Structure formats: structure tokens, C-alpha cells
Amino acid sequence: LEPATEHVAACLRVEPGDEVLARRKMMTANDVPVRIATSYFRADLFSDTRIAEPEFVKPSLQSAIVALGYAFGHAEETLTARPATRFEADTLDLDPGEWVVQVLRASYSTEGTPIHTLETICAATRHIFTIGQVGGADEF
């Protein structure tokens, strides 16, 4: 659990500073850090589920969300290029002054309930978004 930033709170329809469930991972390419991906969930909906457990959710977060009774309705994505925060610069091993690209995807159920917000931070000069299907599933 961590406090929601203003932009995450808006996506999840909670107040800034409210505790939200965060699942964070970093991706590398040839040992070079290229992407920080953080999934955010409303604590009131997901804190007592397997999504809150520290292990990798298999086969996918989407299947775990569906198993909890939520059907995907729509998503909204916002793309922002901006200066990196100190954490992002340190984690992604950025050169001084290097910017990041932030992709914020807010996903909602068919009833309009905010069910998943994904924030992806990439070094603006080194990113490729490769999207693949989860093994045997028609989702990504």
C-alpha cells in the first residue's frame, strides 16, 4: 500500500493521499533499465485478494480481475513527456536532463468502476513497446 498521487487518485476515483495497492516492476534490455511499470488498484476493492499478494499473478492480472467479477468496459490513456523525478532518473540510470515518457492507462469495468490503473515510465530516448498475448489467452 502507498499513498495515491494526484493523477493516480483521479483515475481510481479516490482522494490524493488515500492508500492504494501498488504492484511495481522494472524492465531491462541487455541489463539497461528501460521501463518502470506500476499497476495501481483501489485498496477498498482489492486489498484482500490475490492481487495484493507480492507474488507474480498468474496467468495475468486481467484474469485475476475477471475472476473477482469485473468485466473490462473501457480504458483511457494519457501520454506525457516530462522531466524525470529523482527516483525515475536514479532507477532508469538516466543522463542529467534526460526526460521520461509517462503512459497512464486507466481501465474501468462495464459498470464504470475503476479496476486498474497502469503507469509506465520509460526513458524518453530508449523505449520500445512490445505487446504480446498472455500464453493461451486473448488479452494483453
Side-chain angles (χ1 to χ4, degrees):
L1 295 174
E2 65 184 48
T5 60
E6 193 169 316
H7 62 279
V8 169
C11 291
L12 293 178
R13 298 184 191 141
V14 299
E15 293 297 318
D18 283 357
E19 284 197 332
V20 294
L21 176 63
R23 298 181 58 88
R24 187 170 288 113
K25 64 182 174 182
M26 186 172 65
M27 294 162 222
T28 61
N30 297 322
D31 296 323
V32 176
V34 294
R35 187 182 313 170
I36 305 165
T38 308
S39 287
Y40 295 96
F41 300 91
R42 287 177 45 163
D44 62 332
L45 300 178
F46 295 98
S47 64
D48 292 328
T49 70
R50 68 185 178 122
I51 291 172
E53 296 173 7
E55 296 81 23
F56 194 79
V57 179
K58 293 184 180 184
S60 67
L61 281 173
Q62 291 87 351
S63 65
I65 292 167
V66 169
L68 292 168
Y70 297 99
F72 175 79
H74 74 282
E76 300 168 357
E77 262 189 12
T78 304
L79 174 69
T80 306
R82 59 173 175 73
T85 66
R86 169 65 56 206
F87 169 78
E88 293 161 349
D90 291 345
T91 303
L92 293 172
D93 195 24
L94 301 180
D95 291 331
E98 190 173 356
W99 279 36
V100 295
V101 174
Q102 174 188 36
V103 180
L104 189 66
R105 180 188 303 150
S107 298
Y108 302 92
S109 72
T110 52
E111 290 79 29
T113 303
I115 53 175
H116 181 210
T117 296
L118 175 64
E119 179 184 55
T120 304
I121 305 293
C122 302
T125 58
R126 47 183 145 110
H127 64 277
I128 297 174
F129 289 96
T130 302
I131 308 298
Q133 298 297 88
V134 176
D138 185 22
E139 57 187 44
F140 58 90

